[in-house]
């Protein structure tokens, strides 16, 4: 009986609802003349709001705002994701080709995009990404359609326009790295070179890694002669070198230049050549971590590293080298003596291929600088168990055209030679410069001496004494994952007045460090020519009392980059590489915080 009663009530409710709906007046929605314009205005407002208030980008609910990643919204309100975030955070390999096509790889997933098309090929399927990718020439960054691309690599996208937030939630866990990767097969390496009997492997390795940064979109070969003969260390080419010299040369805009403009091996260099690219970022990994090293190769390009080679050149013998298999495994106690470029890996490379057999399979694929007669047309395989390979690794991650900034002000031409600090992981450092014209402060660069470094950048419009360094204005903050050289662009560049000394102040924190400030100084015979008379730098523990860096015998590594004011026309006599010099002596009346230097 209860069953029939419930059924009767249900039927009655449906009937009542039907008659209520039938009794309602019919409503017809019409688009008036202003409808389309209103929609366009709404879209414009939402896009403008997202540009003014940078979107809070989150990964699994955790904000990434400290890393400066960007999300764009196109005219159809489709999300576009910055290339660097896909590389850094999701572990994608993104390759841009000269014909405008782009390939995104993530483990076994390969996504192929064509220029000006919303369609993409994911595996064997054609998928509509609902938006076309954009390329920002100012940033040298791709912006890729986010939602469906993210889904293809295992992420779900949630957007809140009201909160100006986007969250990427990992819903499918997968290894972004394949078991084997070879940059030669991706057209991402330049031809093998031959250093001959000179001690220039460091320059070949540095530039060999640098050349891969923009490949295959740009295929440039840079001059090792110019790097070895025009850096501020001024050493004989047979004396050898290292990555600190390479980074300093590149960061100072001393190079690179094209090989054809200054050919190798003639013992001479061409004076007056300008850098054809500007280095903006190079990361330094000071510990062996195979997953990090592989990920860096996959995402950014070749890795400069060192190992101990018992052979002096291609025509010498070593028991550690298997010539037939082009393989090398060293398990002794010697320190590194040779630099190479790691361009790939093979987890399944047989351990039996080595003259001295390691315990496990696997090898890094390395590009040498002994010509194509060495190894596998200039390449060889180094066991994962080699005691030196990738114990320190350098990756040149950002390289831009020489018009990224107009002028450079610097006093640290030898770069990061040592560290300075107060026995704590936090410190302040500053440099003063005098602009040669009315300019805008467009960027700064400095070194992070360890991983997970956080920083804040400040600006002091006029400096007459060190007390003025407390009157600083905040510009931008951020965080770095690794040690290395970093360039930070200023979102709203302040104006600089010709002849008026200004300062840039950096607050830095490097976990576990007692000396977080990178400095240039005469540490040894190699860096003995360091010139500390060309700068006005200061260090402080709390940003209140300041000590002169020069009084400590060093220059702080802090460059500034400027452009002409937008309303000003550039001086036709400007070369574009003017350096700021010390002008007047800042007062040191506020002393009392002692710094400690360590090479």
């Amino acid at each position: 009986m209860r069953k029939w009663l419930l059924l009767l009530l249900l039927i009655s409710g449906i009937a009542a609802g039907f008659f209520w709906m039938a009794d309602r007046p019919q409503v017809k929605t019409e688009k008036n003349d202003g409808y389309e314009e209103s929609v366009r205005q709404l879209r414009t407002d939402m896009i403008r709001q997202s540009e003014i208030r940078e979107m809070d980008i989150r990964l699994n609910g955790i904000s990434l705002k400290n890393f400066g990643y960007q999300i764009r919204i196109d005219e159809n309100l489709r999300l576009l994701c910055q290339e660097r975030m896909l590389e850094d955070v999701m572990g994608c390999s993104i390759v841009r080709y000269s014909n405008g096509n782009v390939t995104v790889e993530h483990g076994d997933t390969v996504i192929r995009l064509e220029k000006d098309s919303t369609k993409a090929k994911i595996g064997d399927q054609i998928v509509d990404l609902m938006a076309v990718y954009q390329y920002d020439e100012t940033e040298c960054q791709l912006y890729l359609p986010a939602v469906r691309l993210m889904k293809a690599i295992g992420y779900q996208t949630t957007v809140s326009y009201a909160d100006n937030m986007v969250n990427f939630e990992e819903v499918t866990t997968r290894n972004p790295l394949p078991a084997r990767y070879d940059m030669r097969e991706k057209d991402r390496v330049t031809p093998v070179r031959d250093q001959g009997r000179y001690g220039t492997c460091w320059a070949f390795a540095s530039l060999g890694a640098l050349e891969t940064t923009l490949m295959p979109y740009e295929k440039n070969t840079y001059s090792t002669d110019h790097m070895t003969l025009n850096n501020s260390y001024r050493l004989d080419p047979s004396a050898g070198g290292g990555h600190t010299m390479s980074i300093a040369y590149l960061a100072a805009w001393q190079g690179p230049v094209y090989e054809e403009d200054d050919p190798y091996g003639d013992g001479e260099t061409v004076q007056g050549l300008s850098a054809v690219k500007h280095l903006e970022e190079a990361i330094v990994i000071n510990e062996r971590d195979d997953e990090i090293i592989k990920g860096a190769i996959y995402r950014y390009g070749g890795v400069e590293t060192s190992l101990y080679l018992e052979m002096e050149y291609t025509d010498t013998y070593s028991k550690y080298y298997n010539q037939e298999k082009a393989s090398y495994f060293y398990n002794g106690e010697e320190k590194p003596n040779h630099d190479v470029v790691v361009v790939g890996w093979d987890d399944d490379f047989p351990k039996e291929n080595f003259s001295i057999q390691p315990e496990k399979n696997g090898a890094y694929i390395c590009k040498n600088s002994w010509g194509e007669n060495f190894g596998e047309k200039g390449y060889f395989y180094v066991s994962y168990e080699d005691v030196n390979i990738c114990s320190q690794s350098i990756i040149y991650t950002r390289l831009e055209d020489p018009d990224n900034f107009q002028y450079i002000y610097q006093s640290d031409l030898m770069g990061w030679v040592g560290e300075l600090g107060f026995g704590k992981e936090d410190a302040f450092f500053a440099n003063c410069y005098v602009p040669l014209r009315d300019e805008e402060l467009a960027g700064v660069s400095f070194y992070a001496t360890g991983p997970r470094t956080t920083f804040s950048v400040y600006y002091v419009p006029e400096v007459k004494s060190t007390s003025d360094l407390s009157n600083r204005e905040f510009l931008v903050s951020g965080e770095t994952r690794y040690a290395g050289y970093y360039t930070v662009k200023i979102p709203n560049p302040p104006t600089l007045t010709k002849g008026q000394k200004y300062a840039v102040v950096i607050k830095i924190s490097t976990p576990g460090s007692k000396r977080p400030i990178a400095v240039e100084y005469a540490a040894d015979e190699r860096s003995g020519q360091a010139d500390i008379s060309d700068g006005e730098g200061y260090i402080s523990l709390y940003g209140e009392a300041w000590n002169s860096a020069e009084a400590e015998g060093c220059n702080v590594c802090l460059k500034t980059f400027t452009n002409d004011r937008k309303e000003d026309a550039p001086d036709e006599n400007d070369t574009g590489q003017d350096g700021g010099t010390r002008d007047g002596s800042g007062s040191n009346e506020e002393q009392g915080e002692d710094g400690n230097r360590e090479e």
Side-chain angles (χ1 to χ4, degrees):
M1 183 69 182
R2 176 184 290 181
K3 182 177 178 181
W4 285 105
L5 181 59
L6 288 173
L7 182 60
L8 180 62
L9 289 172
L10 179 61
I11 294 172
S12 300
I14 294 173
F18 173 79
F19 286 112
W20 177 77
M21 290 292 294
D23 190 53
R24 293 186 65 194
Q26 296 297 312
V27 178
K28 183 178 181 181
T29 302
E30 295 184 356
K31 298 179 181 179
N32 59 31
D33 294 339
Y35 174 80
E36 297 295 340
E37 179 59 33
S38 298
V39 171
R40 280 195 296 270
Q41 186 60 49
L42 177 61
R43 287 174 173 169
T44 300
D45 290 344
M46 294 180 71
I47 294 169
R48 183 181 295 116
Q49 178 178 331
S50 70
E51 290 173 347
I52 295 173
R53 296 170 52 211
E54 290 187 1
M55 284 194 106
D56 181 12
I57 304 171
R58 300 179 186 178
L59 176 68
N60 299 326
I62 300 173
S63 178
L64 302 175
K65 62 181 180 181
N66 275 358
F67 297 99
Y69 301 123
Q70 300 290 323
I71 286 285
R72 288 188 177 178
I73 302 175
D74 71 7
E75 65 276 6
N76 295 314
L77 299 184
R78 305 291 185 185
L79 292 183
L80 301 174
C81 191
Q82 191 181 35
E83 172 185 3
R84 286 188 62 78
M85 192 187 80
L86 284 165
E87 291 174 334
D88 295 349
V89 179
M90 282 71 184
C92 294
S93 172
I94 301 176
V95 179
R96 181 174 172 232
Y97 296 90
S98 57
N99 63 1
N101 293 347
V102 173
T103 297
V104 180
E105 294 189 42
H106 187 273
D108 296 330
T109 302
V110 180
I111 305 168
R112 296 180 174 86
L113 298 84
E114 293 185 3
K115 185 178 180 181
D116 300 325
S117 174
T118 65
K119 299 296 196 307
K121 190 173 183 180
I122 303 179
D124 295 327
Q125 294 184 332
I126 302 297
V127 175
D128 191 346
L129 297 181
M130 307 300 289
V132 299
Y133 80 76
Q134 299 176 5
Y135 181 72
D136 189 308
E137 293 186 358
T138 302
E139 297 181 19
C140 295
Q141 282 287 294
L142 290 164
Y143 283 82
L144 302 164
V147 177
R148 295 190 175 181
L149 188 150
M150 286 292 190
K151 182 179 180 181
I153 63 174
Y155 291 85
Q156 178 178 299
T157 305
T158 304
V159 185
S160 171
Y161 290 109
D163 297 328
N164 212 42
M165 179 274 294
V166 57
N167 181 53
F168 299 107
E169 191 78 25
E170 187 176 19
V171 293
T172 304
T173 302
R174 62 185 76 174
N175 186 354
L177 299 174
R180 182 182 181 277
Y181 187 80
D182 189 340
M183 293 178 66
R184 292 176 293 180
E185 299 170 358
K186 306 293 181 178
D187 195 20
R188 294 182 66 189
V189 293
T190 49
V192 171
R193 310 279 303 284
D194 190 344
Q195 71 185 72
R197 298 290 181 174
Y198 294 103
T200 51
C201 62
W202 64 275
F204 278 98
S206 297
L207 293 176
L210 184 76
E211 289 160 355
T212 67
T213 303
L214 299 177
M215 291 189 70
Y217 182 75
E218 288 189 28
K219 299 179 180 180
N220 300 321
T221 301
Y222 300 121
S223 170
T224 49
D225 244 25
H226 196 272
M227 174 176 274
T228 54
L229 297 174
N230 289 275
N231 64 75
S232 295
Y233 287 77
R234 297 189 291 276
L235 300 178
D236 186 273
S238 62
H243 73 272
T244 54
M245 295 168 59
S246 304
I247 295 176
Y249 161 87
L250 295 165
W253 294 5
Q254 294 169 332
V257 305
Y258 295 124
E259 168 65 18
E260 61 190 29
D261 293 331
D262 194 350
Y264 180 71
D266 57 7
E268 300 178 355
T269 186
V270 179
Q271 300 292 335
L273 296 176
S274 297
V276 297
K277 294 290 181 183
H278 286 167
L279 178 70
E280 287 203 349
E281 183 179 290
I283 63 176
V284 180
I285 302 173
N286 287 311
E287 59 184 0
R288 172 73 180 269
D289 187 315
D290 287 335
E291 291 306 300
I292 291 177
I293 303 304
K294 292 176 184 177
I297 298 166
Y298 190 66
R299 292 176 286 178
Y300 308 121
V303 168
E304 175 188 358
T305 192
S306 304
L307 71 166
Y308 175 74
L309 276 188
E310 191 183 47
M311 312 95 78
E312 293 182 358
Y313 196 55
T314 184
D315 55 359
T316 54
Y317 166 79
S318 170
K319 67 179 180 180
Y320 303 106
Y321 178 60
N322 185 324
Q323 186 172 359
E324 181 183 354
K325 300 295 184 181
S327 61
Y328 188 83
F329 168 47
Y330 179 72
N331 58 355
E333 297 180 358
E334 296 290 341
K335 300 299 181 184
N337 64 352
H338 186 66
D339 288 1
V340 296
V341 186
V342 184
V343 299
W345 67 87
D346 185 350
D347 291 344
D348 299 319
F349 190 83
K351 59 185 179 182
E352 291 80 14
N353 284 355
F354 297 97
S355 294
I356 298 176
Q357 187 169 305
E359 293 184 4
K360 298 179 181 179
N361 295 338
Y364 281 116
I365 305 169
C366 298
K367 178 185 180 183
N368 203 2
S369 52
W370 288 357
E372 291 190 359
N373 290 330
F374 172 79
E376 189 178 87
K377 293 186 177 181
Y379 294 83
F380 66 121
Y381 297 83
V382 179
S383 169
Y384 287 159
E385 296 179 29
D386 186 277
V387 296
N388 291 310
I389 189 74
C390 293
S391 56
Q392 185 179 61
S393 305
I394 298 87
I395 307 101
Y396 300 91
T397 49
R398 286 175 62 188
L399 189 65
E400 295 199 5
D401 290 332
D403 60 357
N404 62 336
F405 303 112
Q406 289 179 278
Y407 313 112
I408 183 171
Y409 290 81
Q410 57 184 335
S411 60
D412 59 326
L413 293 175
M414 286 190 174
W416 178 9
V417 176
E419 297 92 38
L420 201 63
F422 300 91
K424 297 180 180 296
E425 60 188 33
D426 303 321
F428 286 78
F429 60 100
N431 253 358
C432 298
Y433 293 112
V434 179
L436 302 179
R437 61 193 70 73
D438 290 341
E439 300 168 358
E440 293 180 343
L441 179 60
V444 302
S445 71
F446 52 89
Y447 292 88
T449 61
R452 303 183 307 281
T453 292
T454 56
F455 62 87
S456 295
V457 181
Y458 301 87
Y459 152 73
V460 181
E462 184 174 13
V463 179
K464 294 182 179 179
S465 71
T466 53
S467 61
D468 294 321
L469 297 177
S470 298
N471 302 323
R472 49 189 178 266
E473 302 173 12
F474 174 78
L475 294 177
V476 66
S477 63
E479 184 175 347
T480 72
R481 284 187 171 83
Y482 306 105
Y485 172 76
Y486 293 91
T487 300
V488 180
K489 295 182 179 179
I490 308 302
N492 298 298
T495 58
L496 307 172
T497 301
K498 178 181 178 180
Q500 179 174 295
K501 187 196 300 182
Y502 71 95
V504 168
V505 179
I506 308 292
K507 178 184 179 183
I508 200 163
S509 180
T510 302
S513 173
K514 294 183 178 181
R515 299 175 178 88
I517 305 171
V519 295
E520 171 202 51
Y521 76 108
D524 51 26
E525 184 177 352
R526 178 178 290 181
S527 59
Q529 300 184 62
D531 180 8
I532 63 166
S533 67
D534 60 348
E536 183 179 350
Y538 298 96
I539 61 172
S540 175
L541 177 56
Y542 300 113
E544 298 172 357
W546 294 85
N547 289 344
S548 165
E550 288 72 32
E552 297 285 340
C554 60
N555 285 319
V556 295
C557 294
L558 172 55
K559 305 178 192 291
T560 67
F561 304 100
T562 66
N563 295 324
D564 289 305
R565 289 190 189 178
K566 290 185 173 62
E567 65 271 17
D568 297 333
D571 188 334
E572 62 183 15
N573 295 320
D574 287 341
T575 63
Q577 297 194 36
D578 295 306
T581 57
R582 186 168 182 163
D583 183 14
S585 57
S587 169
N588 290 327
E589 71 269 14
E590 295 181 293
Q591 299 291 327
E593 297 178 1
D594 295 326
N596 297 298
R597 180 180 63 219
E598 181 178 85
E599 183 184 354

